[in-house]
Amino acid sequence: MPVKARINARLGWILLVGAAAGTLAGCSSLDSASRRVASVVTPYKIDVVQGNFVSREQVEALKPGMSRQQVREILGTPLVTSLFHANRWEYVFTLKKPSAELQTRKLTVFFEGDVLARSEGDEMPSETEFVASLDGGRTGKKGKVPVLEATEDQLSRYPARKAETPAEKAADAAPQEMAPTRYPPLEAPGR
């Protein structure tokens, strides 16, 4: 091998080793820069609300002797109903915030037949307290809660439903005569 070729080969190896060392040094500085950016930029973590929120006002509206339908109108559909405990409805609510501990609230409603007997469970927050806890200081208006009741003027925009007469109820409950339904055969004829 001529001398000039050896010098070029050595020069090539030196450049290759230098480029590899420079790349490794660049990677480590790039890694530290990406760590600094990642520490500044954090992903958005949402509040997770699950179940039925039941307010203190709703619990106070429950009275022994109410029907199941009346209880459902006040509290909403129960989260848990059991075939084995048909006389018990469970209302469970959880709120998970990234910066706070998991909050769980539970209310159990007991029936005797189709009549409300009693209710028991955790101390429920009022609607105002719950709305204030959802803000969590993000908007900077801590303590400022919107008005949660409609005014008489706002309610007048939505007229009350007209009560049905017994004749209308009977007409709705009467079975409608249905035309017989015909379906095509499952298999083609002649098979």
Side-chain angles (χ1 to χ4, degrees), residues 12-170:
W13 275 107
I14 291 171
L15 288 176
L16 181 65
V17 169
T23 303
L24 290 174
C27 286
S28 68
S29 67
L30 183 63
D31 188 39
S32 66
S34 65
R35 283 191 187 129
R36 279 182 276 160
V37 169
S39 68
V40 172
V41 178
T42 58
Y44 177 71
K45 297 179 181 176
I46 62 170
D47 297 344
V48 180
V49 179
Q50 293 181 318
N52 303 46
F53 170 69
V54 178
S55 69
R56 182 180 309 138
E57 294 86 357
Q58 289 172 303
V59 174
E60 290 170 355
L62 294 176
K63 303 291 181 226
M66 290 180 145
S67 70
R68 287 180 187 254
Q69 183 58 37
Q70 289 171 320
V71 172
R72 183 173 272 129
E73 287 172 1
I74 293 172
L75 299 178
T77 304
L79 186 65
V80 179
T81 57
S82 171
L83 292 174
F84 301 109
H85 304 284
N87 290 329
R88 181 172 78 193
W89 287 355
E90 305 279 341
Y91 291 86
V92 182
F93 170 77
T94 60
L95 173 62
K96 182 176 184 335
K97 292 183 172 191
S99 61
E101 189 175 312
L102 177 72
Q103 298 177 28
T104 302
R105 300 249 160 65
K106 181 179 173 184
L107 176 72
T108 306
V109 180
F110 296 93
F111 294 94
E112 289 179 4
D114 283 337
V115 176
L116 175 66
R118 62 183 163 75
S119 65
E120 60 185 45
D122 300 328
E123 180 69 26
M124 299 296 171
S126 68
E127 289 181 12
T128 307
E129 293 167 348
F130 178 67
V131 171
S133 74
L134 287 179
D135 179 33
R138 286 187 298 247
T139 61
K141 301 177 188 174
K142 186 115 174 124
K144 182 156 178 130
V145 177
V147 178
L148 298 175
E149 284 190 25
T151 63
E152 290 297 324
D153 184 41
Q154 291 169 330
L155 290 174
S156 67
R157 289 186 233 159
Y158 303 100
R161 282 188 255 159
K162 181 183 90 169
E164 290 185 13
T165 63
E168 290 172 335
K169 286 183 184 179

Side-chain angles (χ1 to χ4, degrees), residues 174-191:
Q176 301 291 327
E177 189 172 318
M178 296 181 64
T181 306
R182 301 191 77 202
Y183 297 100
L186 294 175
E187 295 182 4
R191 278 196 175 184

